[in-house]
Amino acid sequence: MTAALRATGLAVSLGGREVLAGVDVTLAAGRWTAVVGPNGAGKSTLLRALAGVVPHRGAVMLRDRPREAWQARERARTLAWLGQAESGGEDLRVWDLVMLGRLPHQGWLAAPSAADRAAVTEALHATQAWAWRERTLGSLSGGERQRVRLARLLAVQAPVLLMDEPLANLDVPHQADWLALVRSLAAQGRTVVSVLHEVGMALQADAVLVMQSGRVVHHGPPADAATRAAVRTVFDDRLDIHPVAGAWVVVPRTASPGFPPRAAPTMPGFTPPHDSPGEHA
């Protein structure tokens, strides 16, 4: 297996607390890996450490070279990063903000080239944001802004893409568009690593990295029963996973062992479903 990213002994401490505890992980090239886990599991911190945007201990190899051995511009063309809940740039035109993704390809103070303009155009069309190219970021809704930031990430045209909660503020149709986009990127040989709270979406990835308490507790394809079992376990058995139409569907449970049952909703004509005993797959 060719590795796009490989981490050894990756550890991060924030505010005197260990958030990432000596993680060893290999992320395959040309595949989409989804990172899941409960709140505080260290998912975002893992991505930030892989991207080099948070101080950490341990080693990170980018395409079989130590990340620190890469020249900054070359590394920025190879690994692109979308952070969680990014802010700023409210007064920038959408076109100009997405053009920022081309900075690693441009000389100092150089004007955008034809290749830069083509990359930005392609990225805006890919995220259905082309119609807003003359508007400012601050004039857009939360979901629209997220699509613009995704376009900026795509404009880099990097072979390795790290996305922290890329589906934030996106409605269901645009989540589906994102899913199609990520599958297309992987089919082209590019590597995508995404932190997702949408567990059902994560289970459509090529591989799922399951985290808890700053550690990786499982890494495998969603087709493996062990992967789905690990997902259920880290979420305290508060969800069921069912095969539907060739995909995995996640259904939250209202109660599980160790948790008292919650009161059923009271609604005229509404009969609450019984908790499922588990996965039927």
Side-chain angles (χ1 to χ4, degrees), residues 110-234:
S113 66
D116 294 329
R117 293 190 293 273
V120 170
T121 298
E122 180 181 355
L124 286 168
H125 281 296
T127 58
Q128 296 87 48
W130 174 254
W132 317 321
R133 62 191 181 280
E134 296 300 329
R135 292 176 58 182
T136 63
L137 185 69
S139 71
L140 303 179
S141 71
E144 291 168 341
R145 295 182 195 196
Q146 185 69 355
R147 285 152 62 187
V148 169
R149 292 182 177 117
L150 283 167
R152 184 191 61 198
L153 176 81
L154 295 176
V156 182
Q157 297 182 325
V160 182
L161 303 170
L162 305 183
M163 308 184 190
D164 193 0
E165 294 191 33
L167 301 182
N169 297 314
L170 296 187
D171 57 23
V172 172
H174 289 107
Q175 289 185 9
D177 291 341
W178 178 86
L179 175 61
L181 173 65
V182 167
R183 285 175 168 169
S184 174
L185 291 170
Q188 296 166 25
R190 295 165 78 180
T191 305
V192 178
V193 185
S194 60
V195 167
L196 296 174
H197 281 296
E198 299 80 3
V199 179
M201 190 73 77
L203 288 172
Q204 300 193 52
D206 297 313
V208 180
L209 193 72
V210 186
M211 296 191 67
Q212 186 174 43
S213 302
R215 292 175 169 82
V216 174
V217 298
H218 184 82
H219 186 188
D224 286 357
T227 300
R228 304 191 300 277
V231 171
R232 290 197 304 271
T233 297
V234 298

Side-chain angles (χ1 to χ4, degrees), residues 12-19 57:
V12 175
S13 295
L14 299 173
R17 182 175 69 90
E18 188 175 56
V19 180
R57 304 180 299 281

